[in-house]
Amino acid sequence: MFTKILVGYDGSKGGKAALERAAVAAKNNHAQLTAIWVRQPLPRHADLPGESEGEAEAAADYFGERKREVEEMAKQQGIEIGCESRSGHAAKVIVNFCQDGGYDLIIIGHSDHSELWGRLLGDTADRISDHAHCSVLIVKQ
């Protein structure tokens, strides 16, 4: 049914649930699976010398940890999972990456924010489901 699946993965509980569901879906559908992690852009002007470099290094370390988790899931399921990292607004980056890559399913975890917070600001999953050109599966825990 689905041939190219994109999963948003940030290491959160919701992200882990989405990654697991995506790995199973990819295995069952013999689909290509890519995990994407999106981080906020680094500040253009730092207050202290070396601050931007330190933040970039911390982001690279964090992505490395997420990549190892994705590789472990791939090993458990006996599949390959590609990994991508981008910078920007998470929902916009995921929707654009999905469209540009010809993906036919996005799997994303539901956030752990309170109901009030979600109503006031919306969350990434809501925004992705509103703007994606393809099917979106929001995984709740």
Side-chain angles (χ1 to χ4, degrees), residues 21-118:
R21 183 71 57 90
V24 170
K27 183 175 182 174
N28 291 342
N29 289 286
H30 305 288
Q32 175 187 334
L33 176 58
T34 303
I36 187 168
W37 172 62
V38 183
R39 65 176 171 86
Q40 295 295 319
L42 296 174
R44 291 183 184 192
H45 304 286
D47 292 334
L48 302 171
E51 184 176 2
S52 293
E53 291 84 5
E55 288 184 20
E57 186 176 313
D61 290 345
Y62 187 82
F63 177 66
E65 290 175 32
R66 303 296 71 82
K67 187 174 181 180
R68 283 187 289 280
E69 293 167 357
V70 169
E71 289 168 350
E72 180 61 32
M73 179 61 67
K75 185 178 176 182
Q76 287 174 10
Q77 293 296 325
I79 61 171
E80 291 185 24
I81 304 175
C83 287
E84 295 288 337
S85 175
R86 296 290 187 274
S87 179
H89 182 274
K92 184 175 182 179
V93 168
I94 290 171
V95 167
N96 289 338
F97 186 90
C98 177
Q99 188 165 5
D100 293 345
Y103 290 85
D104 51 14
L105 176 64
I106 300 172
I107 300 179
I108 189 93
H110 189 267
S111 75
D112 294 333
H113 295 305
S114 70
E115 188 175 327
L116 176 60
W117 180 264

